Amino acid sequence: MLKRLSIAVAGGLLLASTMAGCGGSDDAGSSGGGDDKITLGFSQVGAESGWRTANTKSIQESAASAGIDLKFSDAQGKQENQIKAIRSFITQRVDVIAFSPVVESGWGTVLKEAKDAGIPVILTDRAIDDPDTSLYKTFIGSDFVAEGKKAGDWLVKEYEGKTDPVNIVELQGTPGAAPANDRKAGFGDVIKADPKFKVVASQTGQFTRTDGKAVMETFLKSQPKIDVLYAHNDDMGLGAIEAIEAAGKKPGTDIKIITVDAVKDGMTALSEGKINFIVECSPLLGPQLMDLVKKVQDGQTIPQRVLTEETTFTPEQAKEVLADRKY
Ligand code: GYE
């Protein structure tokens, strides 16, 4: 009975603190107190792609089912907004902070503030380039260099035995973001072994469909011969497909297309032969993240790096899995 009463009191405090949340500081119901729900402050990149939407959904749904109180903040693609959100999580004294860094650099100061406040940080989806690994407990996400390499490997195989030059255009992700840097590096590393592969143009498409389309339009105007498009995500590839079709060319045939992510819209285009190959990058990080949050809060030691498992898809493989694709 006593136990039930104390839970009810704790629940009441939590409710009160949530309701008072708009006013800013609340310290009830978060840090410390044994039976309380864990409070997780999460700063998301934005809503730039299908991947991101699926990632946000995964985080929100798994927080709810893990009984974790999630304070979710959308940075709309701006690092300054993420820094503000992290500072606000520190003021609110959340138990754990997780975030998906918009760019790799410039996190030292704010993460030191979190560390000094005794609030553990988990990097989700994207890495930072700070050599001080004591600024965060773990990094959960994909190996983006490996993804770029898989894209390159496919291309090398596709043009095996051929000697004619292969002109490639590249649509990069957001400048300075780990997946943009690493997917470019991994791909470049593989194709540089054969001089017939030439990246004739490479520009950012901001991971969005709109920019992917606009940049592909300029590529089509400025480049006399394009054999291959490598897009750092499905959305930019899908935008580029519109530009290619509008220019009277056949995507997947006149221009071969490789993308990364494997969200449903990308997989649909792949199954239709408009994309030739997709390297998977899973956005479903929520369940593992919540598990790590609980362990960190519990004081358990966790691995410094948690890798996401992923595969690749050809058009035939896309047809097989499309019906069951959840995102
Ligand atoms: O590939 C892209 C998104 O960080 C892995 O960000 C993520 C990338 C994803 O906008 O679509």
Side-chain angles (χ1 to χ4, degrees), residues 6-20:
S6 73
I7 290 170
V9 170
L13 274 178
L14 218 93
L15 188 67
S17 78
T18 317
M19 283 164 69

Side-chain angles (χ1 to χ4, degrees), residues 48-49 51-52 125-126 144 179 183 207 232-233 261 281:
E48 73 282 3
S49 64
W51 190 100
R52 190 64 53 197
D125 153 39
R126 296 180 177 182
F144 301 134
R183 286 174 186 163
F207 276 136
H232 291 185
N233 79 346
D261 276 355
C281 177

Side-chain angles (χ1 to χ4, degrees), residues 156-167:
V156 168
K157 260 202 145 164
E158 183 71 9
Y159 285 91
E160 208 165 32
K162 296 189 177 134
T163 50
D164 287 348
V166 180
N167 287 355

